[in-house]
C-alpha cells in the first residue's frame, strides 16, 4: 500500500510494509521538518512588489506550512498573499516598506487585510474557504503604553477628573448636544450651568435697579428714567436739549462728512440759494487758449461764468462750452451775441458754443454769463458784459447735452487765440 498525506499539514502517512529501510528518514522529515514548521516555523516571504502564492507541498517543506510568515520587500501598491485551503493558523507580519497593506486570502476570496508594520493571527475558516481573524475576544489586556485615541483608547494613564467618565483634555471641545445635570436655582459654584439653569435664573430680569451688573444689554422696548443722558458711545446724544428745531445738534461747530441733506436751510436761507465758487479767487486766463472747470457736482441748476478784465491777443470772439464725463461738447449749440457801440450793433452766432461777441480792437471785457438748467440735460444761457468803457455785449442760446453736466470750458472761436490778461471763474448753485 502506497503512502498518503494528512489533510491539513500534508505529512506523509506511510502504507503498511512500505519504505523498508527508509522508514526512519521519512519519519525524521515528518517530525523534525514538517511538523516543526507547522508548530514553530518562521519564514521570510519576499513580496517582490507583486501578488505571491505560497503552498503546503505533500511531504516536503513549503512556505505556507510555517507558523510565522514575515512578508518583506518594497511595495508600490497593496498586494495579495494567496494561501492554500489547508486548515491551519498563520502568524503574519507585514514588514514591507512603502506603507501598503497585504491581504492574506484564498484565491478568489476576500481574506483579511494586514496594514503596513502590523502583525496579526489568522486562521482558515471552518468551511476551508477563506482566511479570517483567529481571535475576537480577550478576557483582559495590559499594555505597556496607553492605547492611543486613534485606536479607541484615551492616550493617557491619568485618572479622570469626572465621575464615571474620561476627560481627554484640560479644555475639551464638545460637539453635538452634550447633557449635564441642572443645578438648583441660586447655585453659585464652578459647576457647569445648563440652558435650563440659565433660563430659570434669568427668565424674569425685573427692573434695571434690581440687576446686579455694571453693563446690561437691552434689546427692544424703551428706556426711561435714566439718571444722566445716554452718552454718544452708547448710541445717545450726551445731552438733553437741542439747538435745532425738531433735530439734535451735537456740536455748535459740527463738521459733516459727505452728508445727504434734504432741503436744508442755513440761517433761514434755503440751501438751494447758496452759491459755490469753483475757485476761491478765480483763475488767471493769461497765456491760455482755454480754461477748464471740471468735477462739478451733478445737482447744479444755475452756473455763472465771470469775466474780469479779460482780453485776448487777437480779439477773437469768446466761446463758453459745456461738457459731460465724456468730454467737452463742441457742436449742437444755438447761440447769438450782439455788441453795441456808438455807431451801431454787430451780431454773430455759433453752433460750437455759447458765443460772446467781442468788438474788433483792443478790448477789456467785464461781465457775466448765466447758464440755467431746464431739464433733460438741456441748458439755456444769457450774457451781459461791458467791453472797454463804451461797448455793451449781450446774447443767449441753448444746448442739449448727451449726459449730466460736469465741466465748463472758456475758449475762443478759433481755439488758437490766447488770453493775455484777466481772471475767469465759475460759480454754481
Amino acid at each position: 500500500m502506497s503512502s498518503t498525506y494528512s489533510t491539513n499539514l500534508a505529512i506523509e502517512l506511510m502504507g503498511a510494509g512500505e519504505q523498508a529501510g527508509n522508514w526512519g528518514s521519512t519519519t525524521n522529515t515528518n517530525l523534525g521538518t514538517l511538523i516543526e514548521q507547522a508548530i514553530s516555523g518562521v519564514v521570510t516571504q519576499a513580496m517582490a512588489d507583486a501578488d505571491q502564492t505560497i503552498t503546503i507541498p505533500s511531504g516536503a517543506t513549503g512556505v505556507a506550512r510555517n507558523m510565522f510568515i514575515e512578508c518583506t520587500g518594497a511595495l508600490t501598491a497593496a498586494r495579495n498573499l494567496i494561501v492554500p485551503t489547508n486548515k491551519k493558523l498563520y502568524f503574519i507580519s507585514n514588514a514591507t516598506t512603502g506603507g501598503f497593506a497585504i491581504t492574506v486570502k484564498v484565491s478568489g476570496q476576500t481574506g483579511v487585510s494586514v496594514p503596513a508594520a502590523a502583525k496579526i493571527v489568522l486562521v482558515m475558516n471552518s468551511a476551508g474557504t477563506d482566511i479570517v481573524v483567529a481571535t475576537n475576544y480577550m478576557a483582559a489586556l495590559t499594555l505597556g503604553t496607553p492605547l492611543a485615541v486613534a485606536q479607541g483608547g484615551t492616550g493617557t494613564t491619568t485618572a479622570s477628573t469626572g465621575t464615571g467618565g474620561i476627560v481627554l483634555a484640560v479644555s475639551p471641545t464638545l460637539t453635538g448636544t452634550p447633557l449635564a445635570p441642572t443645578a438648583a436655582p441660586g447655585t453659585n459654584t464652578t459647576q457647569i450651568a445648563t440652558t435650563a439653569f440659565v433660563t430659570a435664573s434669568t427668565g424674569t430680569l425685573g427692573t434695571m435697579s434690581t440687576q446686579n451688573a455694571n453693563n446690561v444689554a437691552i434689546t427692544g422696548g424703551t428706556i426711561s428714567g435714566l439718571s444722566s443722558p445716554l452718552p454718544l458711545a452708547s448710541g445717545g446724544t450726551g445731552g438733553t436739549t437741542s439747538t435745532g428745531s425738531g433735530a439734535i445738534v451735537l456740536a455748535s461747530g459740527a463738521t459733516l462728512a459727505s452728508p445727504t441733506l434734504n432741503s436744508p436751510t442755513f440761517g433761514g436761507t434755503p440751501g438751494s440759494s447758496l452759491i459755490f465758487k469753483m475757485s476761491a479767487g478765480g483763475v488767471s486766463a493769461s497765456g491760455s487758449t482755454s480754461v477748464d472747470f471740471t468735477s462739478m457736482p451733478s445737482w447744479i441748476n444755475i452756473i455763472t461764468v465771470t469775466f474780469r478784465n479779460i482780453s485776448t491777443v487777437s480779439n477773437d470772439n469768446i466761446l463758453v462750452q459745456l461738457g459731460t464725463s465724456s468730454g467737452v461738447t463742441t457742436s449742437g449749440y444755438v447761440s447769438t451775441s450782439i455788441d453795441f457801440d456808438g455807431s451801431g450793433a454787430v451780431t454773430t452766432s455759433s453752433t460750437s458754443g455759447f458765443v460772446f461777441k467781442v468788438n474788433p480792437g483792443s478790448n477789456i471785457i467785464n461781465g457775466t454769463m448765466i447758464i440755467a438748467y431746464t431739464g433733460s440735460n438741456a441748458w439755456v444761457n444769457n450774457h451781459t458784459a461791458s467791453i472797454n468803457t463804451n461797448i455793451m455785449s449781450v446774447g443767449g442760446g441753448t444746448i442739449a447735452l448727451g449726459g449730466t453736466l460736469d465741466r465748463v470750458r472758456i475758449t475762443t472761436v478759433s481755439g488758437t487765440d490766447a488770453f493775455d490778461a484777466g481772471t475767469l471763474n465759475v460759480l454754481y448753485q
Side-chain angles (χ1 to χ4, degrees):
M1 181 179 178
S2 60
S3 296
T4 58
Y5 297 90
S6 64
T7 302
N8 293 323
L9 297 181
I11 294 174
E12 186 175 0
L13 306 176
M14 292 178 289
E18 287 291 314
Q19 298 192 31
N22 292 323
W23 186 88
S25 175
T26 300
T27 299
N28 288 340
T29 298
N30 284 338
L31 299 179
T33 302
L34 304 186
I35 292 179
E36 184 169 344
Q37 273 189 341
I39 295 174
S40 61
V42 177
V43 69
T44 298
Q45 173 62 47
M47 294 303 296
D49 202 18
D51 293 349
Q52 299 294 329
T53 299
I54 57 176
T55 61
I56 301 179
S58 296
T61 60
V63 172
R65 188 183 285 106
N66 285 271
M67 178 65 74
F68 188 96
I69 302 174
E70 182 177 64
C71 299
T72 61
L75 300 184
T76 60
R79 302 300 181 186
N80 298 315
L81 181 64
I82 311 299
V83 301
T85 57
N86 303 55
K87 294 181 179 180
K88 67 176 293 289
L89 285 170
Y90 291 95
F91 286 77
I92 301 295
S93 171
N94 183 352
T96 60
T97 60
F100 295 97
I102 295 174
T103 299
V104 183
K105 66 176 187 175
V106 172
S107 178
Q109 302 300 315
T110 303
V112 176
S113 177
V114 183
K119 296 180 176 66
I120 192 170
V121 181
L122 305 175
V123 68
M124 181 63 61
N125 63 19
S126 59
T129 58
D130 200 9
I131 291 295
V132 295
V133 177
T135 61
N136 62 5
Y137 171 77
M138 303 183 88
L141 178 65
T142 300
L143 301 176
T145 57
L147 188 63
V149 174
Q151 303 300 322
T154 67
T156 181
T157 58
T158 304
S160 168
T161 57
T163 299
I166 300 296
V167 176
L168 302 180
V170 175
S171 300
T173 299
L174 305 179
T175 61
T177 309
L179 303 178
T182 300
T187 300
N188 186 14
T189 68
T190 57
Q191 178 180 352
I192 293 176
T194 63
T195 55
F197 173 79
V198 173
T199 300
S201 300
T202 64
T204 303
L205 286 174
T207 63
M208 293 287 291
S209 61
T210 65
Q211 306 309 308
N212 184 20
N214 291 326
N215 296 282
V216 179
I218 305 296
T219 58
T222 59
I223 302 174
S224 62
L226 295 178
S227 60
S228 60
L230 190 65
L232 292 174
S234 297
T237 66
T240 57
T241 59
S242 166
T243 59
S245 176
I248 299 298
V249 177
L250 302 181
S252 59
T255 299
L256 304 180
S258 302
T260 299
L261 305 177
N262 297 319
S263 301
T265 60
F266 300 88
T269 302
S272 59
S273 299
L274 297 180
I275 299 176
F276 301 89
K277 293 181 180 180
M278 289 295 292
S279 174
V283 175
S284 173
S286 181
S288 301
T289 57
S290 64
V291 176
D292 288 355
F293 294 87
T294 60
S295 301
M296 299 176 69
S298 60
W299 49 262
I300 292 176
N301 288 302
I302 298 176
I303 300 170
T304 301
V305 182
T306 64
F307 302 81
R308 183 174 183 275
N309 295 329
I310 290 293
S311 66
T312 62
V313 173
S314 300
N315 294 306
D316 198 359
N317 291 329
I318 294 174
L319 281 183
V320 175
Q321 298 171 320
L322 309 184
T324 68
S325 59
S326 298
V328 174
T329 299
T330 59
S331 63
Y333 296 83
V334 177
S335 175
T336 301
S337 181
I338 304 172
D339 68 19
F340 300 90
D341 60 14
S343 60
V346 180
T347 302
T348 188
S349 61
S350 175
T351 60
S352 300
F354 294 139
V355 66
F356 196 126
K357 180 70 175 71
V358 177
N359 195 57
S362 178
N363 297 303
I364 302 297
I365 304 166
N366 288 281
T368 60
M369 177 180 287
I370 309 298
I371 306 170
Y373 183 58
T374 63
S376 300
N377 296 320
W379 298 80
V380 296
N381 96 297
N382 68 77
H383 70 268
T384 304
S386 67
I387 303 175
N388 297 328
T389 60
N390 60 339
I391 303 172
M392 177 68 68
S393 178
V394 296
T398 185
I399 180 66
L401 299 178
T404 302
L405 179 143
D406 75 344
R407 65 194 65 198
V408 173
R409 171 175 290 176
I410 299 94
T411 183
T412 59
V413 170
S414 67
T416 58
D417 189 8
F419 297 102
D420 59 2
T423 302
L424 295 169
N425 207 348
V426 169
L427 290 68
Y428 61 85
Q429 62 189 99

